[in-house]
Amino acid sequence: MILNSLRLLKIVRIVLQYGIDEIVMSGLRIPRTAKLIKAILFWRDLSAPRGERLRQALENLGPIFVKFGQVLSTRRDLMPPDIADELALLQDRVPSFDSDLAIAQIIKSLGAHPDQLFASFERIPVASASIAQVHFATLKDGREAAVKVLRPGMKASIDRDVALMKIAAAWLEFLWADGKRLKAREVVGEFDKYLHDELDLMREAANASQLRRNFADSDLLIVPEMYWDYCSPSVIVMERMHGIPISQTDKLREAGVDLCKLSRDGVTIFFTQIFRDGFFHADMHPGNILVSTDPATLGRYIALDFGIVGTLNDYDKDYLSQNFLAFFRRDYKRVAEAHIESGWAPKETRVDELEAAVRACCEPIFDRPLKEISFGQVLLRLFQTSRRFNVEVQPQLVLLQKTLLNIEGLGRQLDPDLDLWKTAKPYLERWMSEQVGWRGLIEKFKAEAPRYSHIFPQLPRLAHQALQRAAEGDQQSAVLTALLAEQRATNRLLRTIVYFGAGLLAGVLVAFYFLNFSYAM
């Protein structure tokens, strides 16, 4: 309780120091209180842009808030552009923790000291981030390895900070006029799930294994092998990778790497992950990508850090492929129709109006090299259009948007003249042919063949059972028909009796009336 109170006081101090309250108060529903607070805190220097102040505040609040800012920067559908751009600059510049703590974590997780587990273990970490840090080691069989160790006490720290974020989000939605549209509680909930997923390093190891299997026969991407005998939820050991960081373009040129080919290969890898596998590395910033300098694999991408991956189902892939192809063909009407058909845009949306809005967003970027356009700006305009037409941004595509922005940054570094559209269009057309053409039909039949092999031998028996049920149904139908006919005959007889009885009774009453009348005369 005391720790929570101290943490809350620190958060309040930093919020006031960097004027985060002023950002919120711009849309506050209690303007008089806002003016009073601003008058009391007149001494603050708030000359820096609001986005810069927010970024600095998150950096001072610590790793969890830095992570939150990174996630928030991907939600350009919710953030003003100046804030989203500034949050995108957040980096995991986190000091490493003590090596003795890392060794204690390894002993607790793997049941032995690193000196017993490995032939050698480097106590000084080679990389440190908000969730874990990495040490190099050598296995006893001579294989080089990288040991990733979770920061001690992370779960308690995350739970404490996220609980405070949820309280702040609830107040934000209550007090801020634009709070509900920003979906503050929903964003914090996504962040909570995302962080707890990252705390399980076995999940990261499984992600790496899946990606490695997907590209097992590829000459484009290398994924390190996981050494499962040394993996646990808080420690994982994988194959050590050797390469040059993709951001060091001068060293890549000296090593003989073709940067233009490297940029095209990056596009191919991206679209392969999206449309072939529906499983993609969603944290493709330069710090997580190396380029191999081994003569046997020179120029191949090396992927690292698999804590964040995205998945797409067949519906998502089909929707995205149709939209990408429609964009590349400048068929904006089809884009508008796809949004309405999928339910992402309201049914009452006029196709021609949405078509015109999408055209205004996308037409300026075609036939221009990558160095002259910004996907960030295009996405921003698309999100603004989405808000205008009440288009719902799908949660499963948020990571895809983030990855696309990462691809933009890599493309600019490697080949500013890369035309992403012309590079991607043939690939997408081939993929569509494989999905909806004859090749797609054959591949789907192959995929379903194991199920058919069980069904085909049973067809005679199943057909016999179906015919037998049909015959029994015919017999039951005949009996039912006879019963209905008999019931109709009975109904006719009853109606005759009722009508005859009613007529007889009426005749008796009439006769009785005349007899009485005659007697009275």
Side-chain angles (χ1 to χ4, degrees):
M1 186 66 181
I2 296 176
L3 289 176
N4 287 346
S5 300
L6 292 175
R7 180 61 172 163
L8 181 59
L9 287 174
K10 180 180 179 180
I11 291 172
V12 171
R13 178 180 62 79
I14 292 176
V15 164
L16 295 178
Q17 177 183 345
Y18 288 94
I20 309 305
D21 57 295
E22 188 218 24
I23 299 175
V24 176
M25 286 176 185
S26 60
L28 210 60
R29 290 179 176 147
I30 43 176
R32 292 183 178 178
T33 304
K35 290 180 180 179
L36 177 62
I37 295 175
K38 289 177 69 175
I40 294 173
L41 301 175
F42 66 92
W43 47 268
R44 297 178 299 176
D45 179 14
L46 303 181
S47 58
R50 61 177 185 175
E52 180 181 337
R53 287 186 277 117
L54 178 59
R55 175 179 58 79
Q56 292 173 347
L58 294 175
E59 288 174 341
N60 277 274
L61 286 170
I64 306 305
F65 283 83
V66 169
K67 278 283 185 185
F68 181 66
Q70 292 172 339
V71 172
L72 204 60
S73 70
T74 68
R75 298 304 304 266
R76 290 178 175 264
D77 57 317
L78 304 178
M79 296 288 101
D82 60 322
I83 290 180
D85 289 341
E86 195 68 36
L87 293 182
L89 300 177
L90 287 169
Q91 301 292 329
D92 273 336
R93 303 189 191 94
V94 181
S96 60
F97 57 89
D98 192 278
S99 297
D100 290 335
L101 293 176
I103 291 173
Q105 186 79 281
I106 293 172
I107 294 172
K108 179 180 178 181
S109 300
L110 303 182
H113 194 279
D115 293 341
Q116 297 174 294
L117 293 169
F118 309 111
S120 65
F121 178 80
E122 297 183 12
R123 293 179 60 91
I124 299 176
V126 295
S128 180
S130 56
I131 298 296
Q133 69 184 29
V134 178
H135 297 256
F136 285 152
T138 303
L139 301 184
K140 291 188 175 180
D141 60 8
R143 290 179 293 176
E144 294 182 315
V147 182
K148 189 168 186 176
V149 185
L150 190 71
R151 282 182 175 270
M154 282 303 298
K155 187 177 185 306
S157 176
I158 287 173
D159 289 342
R160 181 177 65 247
D161 282 352
V162 169
L164 295 175
M165 286 180 184
K166 288 180 177 179
I167 295 172
W171 276 102
L172 187 67
E173 289 192 0
F174 175 74
L175 293 174
W176 203 10
D178 221 16
K180 290 186 177 180
R181 185 188 64 79
L182 292 177
K183 301 178 182 178
R185 284 182 291 183
E186 180 181 320
V187 172
V188 173
E190 289 180 13
F191 177 64
D192 188 13
K193 178 181 179 300
Y194 153 78
L195 268 183
H196 280 88
D197 285 348
E198 273 205 288
L199 285 179
D200 184 358
L201 295 187
M202 283 294 284
R203 182 187 292 267
E204 177 178 346
N207 292 339
S209 181
Q210 177 68 57
L211 193 63
R212 177 182 172 85
R213 186 162 58 251
N214 291 347
F215 283 85
D217 300 324
S218 171
D219 60 355
L220 300 177
L221 180 66
I222 301 172
V223 179
E225 178 186 0
M226 289 290 152
Y227 299 142
W228 291 107
D229 291 341
Y230 303 93
C231 291
S232 73
S234 55
V235 177
I236 57 175
V237 181
M238 69 194 81
E239 177 185 4
R240 179 177 173 179
M241 295 283 99
H242 294 275
I244 300 174
I246 198 168
S247 58
Q248 299 180 9
T249 54
D250 291 338
K251 289 186 177 180
L252 291 174
R253 289 192 187 93
E254 292 175 5
V257 176
D258 184 344
L259 297 188
C260 293
K261 181 180 182 300
L262 193 64
S263 64
R264 293 193 301 271
D265 288 348
V267 175
T268 301
I269 290 170
F270 173 72
F271 283 104
T272 299
Q273 291 180 85
I274 299 302
F275 293 111
R276 187 193 69 183
D277 306 326
F279 183 91
F280 61 96
H281 192 304
D283 199 16
M284 294 181 66
H285 63 73
N288 287 339
I289 300 177
L290 305 178
V291 179
S292 175
T293 53
D294 189 305
T297 58
L298 180 66
R300 294 189 192 179
Y301 281 80
I302 300 174
L304 303 173
D305 195 347
F306 311 93
I308 310 174
V309 298
T311 58
L312 301 171
N313 58 32
D314 289 339
Y315 178 83
D316 294 329
K317 289 190 289 184
D318 180 65
Y319 172 83
L320 286 169
S321 63
Q322 289 190 44
N323 273 276
F324 270 117
L325 281 176
F327 276 126
F328 294 149
R329 294 169 178 169
R330 307 190 191 188
D331 186 356
Y332 304 117
K333 182 178 180 181
R334 180 60 198 144
V335 175
E337 290 173 343
H339 276 75
I340 297 171
E341 290 170 2
S342 67
W344 291 11
K347 294 294 182 184
E348 62 273 11
T349 303
R350 287 185 52 174
V351 173
D352 59 332
E353 291 183 355
L354 184 55
E355 175 190 358
V358 174
R359 181 184 295 110
C361 289
C362 300
E363 191 64 23
I365 69 175
F366 283 101
D367 297 326
R368 298 169 64 186
L370 191 60
K371 66 181 179 181
E372 296 181 9
I373 63 175
S374 169
F375 285 109
Q377 292 301 316
V378 173
L379 282 176
L380 176 60
R381 294 181 65 183
L382 284 173
F383 289 144
Q384 290 171 341
T385 301
S386 298
R387 285 200 296 269
R388 174 186 164 192
F389 287 91
N390 295 318
V391 174
E392 295 183 9
V393 177
Q394 304 302 299
Q396 70 270 28
L397 301 183
V398 170
L399 287 177
L400 185 62
Q401 297 159 2
K402 173 180 180 291
T403 306
L404 188 57
L405 291 172
N406 291 146
I407 293 295
E408 176 188 14
L410 290 176
R412 289 184 188 280
Q413 288 181 333
L414 299 173
D415 181 12
D417 294 318
L418 172 68
D419 190 330
L420 180 64
W421 314 116
K422 291 180 180 178
T423 305
K425 185 179 177 181
Y427 181 87
L428 284 174
E429 289 177 334
R430 184 172 65 251
W431 184 86
M432 285 293 288
S433 173
E434 292 172 353
Q435 293 300 307
V436 301
W438 284 104
R439 283 182 294 178
L441 180 62
I442 293 172
E443 290 300 320
K444 289 176 182 177
F445 184 81
K446 288 179 180 178
E448 296 292 335
R451 300 180 186 179
Y452 298 151
S453 65
H454 294 292
I455 296 174
F456 283 149
Q458 303 177 47
L459 284 179
R461 178 174 55 82
L462 294 174
H464 175 72
Q465 291 177 350
L467 291 171
Q468 189 175 18
R469 285 195 296 270
E472 291 174 355
D474 290 342
Q475 292 176 359
Q476 292 175 355
S477 178
V479 172
L480 182 60
T481 301
L483 289 173
L484 289 173
E486 184 176 347
Q487 184 179 5
R488 283 195 292 269
T490 303
N491 290 341
R492 286 196 298 270
L493 179 59
L494 288 172
R495 284 198 298 271
T496 301
I497 293 173
V498 170
Y499 293 153
F500 177 77
L504 181 61
L505 180 60
V508 170
L509 291 175
V510 170
F512 181 75
Y513 172 78
F514 280 108
L515 286 174
N516 285 339
F517 181 75
S518 301
Y519 180 78
M521 292 295 293

